Amino acid sequence: EGLVSSPCAMVAFFDSAAKPSADEEWERHVNTAKRKIRSELSLADWTKFGFATARAKEFEALGAAGDDPPGAVPREEAGKLSVQDFWEKYERKGLPCIIYGIPQTENWPACEKWAWSSFFKKYADASFKVGKDDSGSAVRLRVDHFEQYMKCQHDDSPIYLFDNQFKSEKKELLEDYKVPSYFPDDYMALSKDDRPPYRWIGVGPRRSGTVMH
């Protein structure tokens, strides 16, 4: 969402002896990734429920429904919720809440730097994880191929970038945000060398994502 859609022709067959066109190249890599991360699905199965086409209105209505019951999860504005209030109202009681406006209130550089156009341009040649294959190995996709996919895909549950490795050019992403002030204690630091993955970047089109876990 947020990108202008463009016409896209799905390539079913092409001459293996000929050099693939730019369109065929990105689609070939995307289809390879799809087959690896969801080996139980055919390529046609990715659109069989029609969430982006025939049933798009149903999906949009579900997304707009909000909490059930309304207000089940409190929303708090970052600039109006102190750390002490967060602790007393939610952390100490073990209650969930959604705090919005943290990047703007705490002046994250990401607010200026993380636009679609600048992200795709800067990291075009970088590869991000999009899932795992049946053996548990990471499946990666280049950002420029993912950009083309985002512009014209109609998948029910689209693939998305979801990575916890920040090496080489991706290391700069870590400078664009900071841990919100509501979470000053880093207990995972106590594990030292055995520290589990604890930070990720996720980038995807509408309908992409994972279930709550």
Side-chain angles (χ1 to χ4, degrees):
E1 188 181 20
L3 293 176
V4 178
S5 298
S6 62
C8 175
M10 302 302 287
V11 180
F13 304 98
F14 60 88
D15 184 357
S16 60
K19 183 177 180 180
S21 68
D23 285 345
E24 292 169 345
E25 182 73 9
W26 75 258
E27 191 169 33
R28 180 170 62 83
H29 284 283
V30 168
N31 287 343
T32 297
K34 284 183 176 182
R35 291 188 180 100
K36 288 182 177 180
I37 62 179
R38 295 295 302 275
S39 62
E40 77 280 10
L41 300 181
S42 68
L43 293 178
D45 286 340
W46 283 73
T47 57
K48 67 181 180 180
F49 294 114
F51 290 158
T53 52
R55 299 181 64 187
K57 289 184 178 180
E58 296 177 47
F59 188 88
E60 294 300 325
L62 180 63
D67 295 344
D68 185 15
V73 180
R75 267 71 170 171
E76 298 279 3
E77 185 176 349
K80 298 179 180 180
L81 179 70
S82 69
V83 175
Q84 184 64 31
D85 287 342
F86 169 71
W87 171 259
E88 293 294 338
K89 293 175 65 176
Y90 303 107
E91 178 72 11
R92 187 171 62 84
K93 299 177 181 179
L95 298 176
C97 71
I98 294 176
I99 306 174
Y100 64 92
I102 288 177
Q104 296 82 359
T105 301
E106 302 195 358
N107 299 312
W108 290 9
C111 292
E112 300 289 336
K113 299 170 66 175
W114 288 14
W116 287 122
S117 57
S118 59
F119 178 86
F120 287 139
K121 181 178 180 180
K122 184 176 182 61
Y123 300 103
D125 295 329
S127 293
F128 283 75
K129 181 179 175 181
V130 293
K132 294 181 179 179
D133 62 18
D134 291 341
S135 65
S137 298
V139 177
R140 298 186 177 277
L141 193 64
R142 227 170 60 184
V143 168
D144 57 344
H145 295 153
F146 179 75
E147 178 185 12
Q148 296 302 315
Y149 166 75
M150 276 192 60
K151 288 180 179 179
C152 63
Q153 60 79 29
H154 291 93
D155 292 336
D156 296 322
S157 181
I159 58 176
Y160 58 101
L161 309 181
F162 189 68
D163 209 339
N164 64 356
Q165 299 296 317
F166 298 92
K167 300 177 181 178
S168 302
E169 67 270 38
K170 292 187 286 185
K171 189 174 183 180
E172 187 176 326
L173 291 167
L174 299 177
E175 302 174 0
D176 296 337
Y177 80 100
K178 58 183 178 180
V179 177
S181 57
Y182 298 102
F183 312 104
D185 301 311
D186 184 6
Y187 296 116
M188 284 190 177
L190 299 175
S191 61
K192 298 181 180 180
D193 295 338
D194 294 328
R195 182 180 188 132
Y198 64 101
R199 55 192 179 191
W200 293 263
I201 182 171
V203 179
R206 196 166 187 80
R207 302 182 309 284
S208 62
T210 184
V211 296
M212 187 69 73
H213 64 283

